[in-house]
Amino acid sequence: MNITVIGSSGFIGKEFCKQAVELGYNVYSPVRGDEKLFERDLGNVIYAAGYGNCGENYLNVLDANCTFLSRLLAEASFESITYLSSTRVFLDGSTTHEAASLVSSFHDKRRLFNLTKLVAEELLLLNSKRSLIIRPSNVYGLALDSELFFTIDHS
């Protein structure tokens, strides 16, 4: 099976690549800006690209979470796509049921991240290709360079 991991240099994407290789899959992990990805069959895409630091670069939040995904849906050839969203979309909501109304809190400094994840999910629901949306809640691992993850110093 051929797997393409978008966001393979990130915390979660690296782990997807590692696990897929260990399971014997053919893994393509294009670097950001690699236009060749629109010239080949991507197989099964794992979209782990994302950016959450809204205060640092809000345009990168939009591009990583929505804009590039929309281009991929319109121009790329693939069998299926799995998109990593976030349970943050339920932040400030009264329930986490799929049919629940969602709340975007004005006071949440990362609300753009939540909104772009919801837009990306809607794009996937509207497209005609096979897609799966996953909303991780807690991700565990060593991410010493990230300001958005908790780290534990074992020294």
Side-chain angles (χ1 to χ4, degrees):
M1 179 187 293
N2 294 324
I3 295 177
T4 299
V5 180
I6 306 295
S8 60
S9 66
F11 181 69
I12 294 173
K14 280 182 193 175
E15 191 61 29
F16 269 110
C17 288
K18 178 183 162 196
Q19 294 295 319
V21 168
E22 286 178 12
L23 291 170
Y25 295 114
N26 297 318
V27 178
Y28 172 49
S29 52
V31 295
R32 190 175 192 168
D34 182 358
E35 290 294 311
K36 291 179 185 169
L37 111 123
F38 296 101
E39 299 169 6
R40 62 185 289 173
D41 184 356
L42 303 177
N44 296 285
V45 175
I46 297 174
Y47 196 98
Y51 191 78
N53 196 337
C54 301
E56 181 180 297
N57 189 336
Y58 63 91
L59 292 176
N60 198 24
V61 174
L62 178 65
D63 185 49
N65 296 333
C66 285
T67 310
F68 187 74
L69 174 67
S70 68
R71 181 172 178 213
L72 195 72
L73 292 172
E75 299 176 28
S77 173
F78 57 89
E79 184 178 326
S80 70
I81 184 166
T82 299
Y83 180 81
L84 273 76
S85 185
S86 173
T87 55
R88 276 189 57 86
V89 300
F90 295 115
L91 191 67
D92 292 333
S94 59
T95 182
T96 58
H97 294 298
E98 284 298 310
S101 295
L102 300 174
V103 176
S104 178
S105 173
F106 179 76
H107 300 290
D108 180 7
K109 293 180 181 176
R110 290 183 61 202
R111 72 180 170 270
L112 178 61
F113 176 83
N114 303 355
L115 293 168
T116 58
K117 288 295 187 181
L118 288 171
V119 168
E121 288 185 19
E122 188 65 18
L123 290 172
L124 289 162
L125 293 171
L126 293 171
N127 96 87
S128 60
K129 297 179 182 176
R130 220 172 87 202
S131 59
L132 174 67
I133 299 165
I134 299 174
R135 291 179 180 150
S137 177
N138 296 305
V139 178
Y140 176 78
L142 194 58
L144 299 176
D145 296 332
S146 176
E147 297 175 9
L148 302 174
F149 288 94
F150 293 114
T151 58
I152 299 171
D153 184 1
H154 292 287
S155 58

